[in-house]
Amino acid sequence: MSLKDHLLTRIALEGPMRLDAYMQSCLLHPDWGYYTTRAPFGPEGDFITAPEISQMFGELIGLSLAQSWLDQGAPSPFTLAELGPGRGTLMADILRATARVPGFQAAAQVTLVEASPSLREVQRETLRGAEVTWAESAADLPDAPLFLIANEFFDALPIRQFIRQGAGWAERRVGAAERALTFGLGPVTPQPALAHRVEDTKDGDLVELCASAAEIMQDIGKRIAAHGGAGLIIDYGDWRALGDTLQALENHSPADPLANPGQADLTAHVDFEALARACPCPHSRVVTQGVFLERLGITPRAQKLAEALTGDALGNHIAAHRRLTHPAEMGNLFKVMGLYQKGQTPPPGTEV
């Protein structure tokens, strides 16, 4: 049996399913889920994240969090956490960059929030030698000062989609026809969570909701508000989402999200306004990744690293810097939002 067969059977028994339930099965089903059956990151996977492009990305994030830690009086102990840490590359770069910050790593309790058993094994290998704890969810993080990074985490959380029809909303659902998965619509119902979207939508417009993202932001924000710390949320999206942003990537190419469940990565653009509305601690303005990295000094760092490089290595290094920062590449597509405790300053690279 395949995941598609399983879903067709489920739909036949229970009727059309919500999109978030479909995405959850595609990504995390214990037997056929995309993340539970493979390591999708890096050259062998379907996509390469910023930490895999250049060490500079993780180094600068580590130093931003370390500076926030110093600005807040160097609390000890504290939780150094990453949500959805992929292969562990970003945390490895953070730990290398912060090794010379006096007291930082001695006080840090490194915690990776990761649900996939196969990815945990990859992370354990990448971070061999470091003392690391794993957590199932953000709700399991300790009640302590929290310094956190979430890079390309929220885009993979399951979403629901609603199409406005008059004063109500019809939810998009996944059904079946002739042994194929298809999209359809449920009945028109009120959606209090979308009341604020009436002002910027019209009949036929599609709006996405991610309830799990709001819950995670509450878990993060309440710890920062109560105990101190800082967070960096980095993802592709914008302040307010509108329209269908669900996309699938299979074998390095765009794919139909319904064609091969469990064989493709499913993501959606992040609605940063929704994250901010759910967070109980202060947040910075949203800034582009390119501006964020330039504020942290990526160009001088790139120039310093380039001094020891020649030939293809130098060309790849220059291309990596461009890919991370140029407006036509990841520089404008990806956004950054900082979280911090009331009375403190936002993480370096972000601003009020």
Side-chain angles (χ1 to χ4, degrees), residues 87-88 92 119-130 134:
R87 290 156 52 98
L119 283 174
R120 284 191 181 193
E121 289 305 311
V122 176
Q123 294 154 13
R124 185 173 285 109
E125 182 63 26
T126 301
L127 294 165
R128 180 180 292 182
W134 279 266

Side-chain angles (χ1 to χ4, degrees), residues 241-265:
L242 180 64
D244 181 8
T245 72
L246 177 67
Q247 52 194 318
L249 197 65
E250 182 178 1
N251 296 325
H252 304 279
S253 299
D256 180 346
L258 301 184
N260 294 303
Q263 300 300 308
D265 181 45

Side-chain angles (χ1 to χ4, degrees), residues 75-300:
S76 179
F78 73 92
T79 305
L80 177 61
E82 183 178 358
L83 305 184
R87 290 156 52 98
T89 304
L90 176 53
M91 183 55 72
D93 289 340
I94 289 173
L95 293 176
R96 187 182 63 255
T98 57
R100 295 186 179 182
V101 178
F104 183 82
Q105 291 194 15
Q109 298 179 338
V110 179
T111 304
L112 303 182
V113 178
E114 178 59 69
S116 165
S118 61
L119 283 174
R120 284 191 181 193
E121 289 305 311
V122 176
Q123 294 154 13
R124 185 173 285 109
E125 182 63 26
T126 301
L127 294 165
R128 180 180 292 182
E131 188 173 338
V132 179
T133 299
W134 279 266
E136 285 289 327
S137 70
D140 298 323
L141 290 171
D143 289 325
L146 175 63
F147 293 80
L148 173 140
I149 173 67
N151 178 62
E152 291 197 61
F153 170 78
F154 285 96
D155 67 300
L157 296 180
I159 60 165
R160 298 170 69 183
Q161 292 183 330
F162 297 88
I163 296 177
R164 184 175 170 187
Q165 296 189 7
W169 303 83
E171 183 164 11
R172 204 177 187 202
R173 296 178 180 268
V174 177
E178 299 180 355
R179 299 293 298 173
L181 296 169
T182 61
F183 281 120
L185 291 178
V188 178
T189 59
Q191 292 293 332
L194 293 175
H196 67 293
R197 298 308 305 270
V198 173
E199 65 188 40
D200 71 317
T201 58
K202 60 183 184 302
D203 276 8
D205 280 350
L206 187 150
V207 174
E208 297 171 341
L209 277 181
C210 184
S212 57
E215 293 170 2
I216 291 166
M217 289 299 292
Q218 289 168 8
D219 287 329
I220 296 168
K222 73 180 182 182
R223 285 166 173 78
I224 294 175
H227 306 289
L232 290 170
I233 312 299
I234 305 175
D235 229 310
Y236 63 93
D238 220 322
W239 178 247
R240 177 176 283 194
L242 180 64
D244 181 8
T245 72
L246 177 67
Q247 52 194 318
L249 197 65
E250 182 178 1
N251 296 325
H252 304 279
S253 299
D256 180 346
L258 301 184
N260 294 303
Q263 300 300 308
D265 181 45
L266 301 179
T267 62
H269 285 204
V270 173
D271 185 332
F272 279 89
E273 181 191 35
L275 298 186
R277 287 169 65 94
C279 188
C281 74
H283 61 85
S284 74
R285 294 180 182 180
V286 172
V287 64
T288 65
Q289 177 176 291
V291 169
F292 170 73
L293 292 174
E294 291 295 352
R295 287 176 177 171
L296 294 177
I298 192 171
T299 294

Side-chain angles (χ1 to χ4, degrees), residues 32 47 63-64 103 115 177 201 206-207 297 300 312 337 341 350:
W32 303 296
F47 55 92
L63 294 176
S64 175
T201 58
L206 187 150
V207 174
D312 289 345
M337 184 169 69
Q341 189 181 43
T350 64

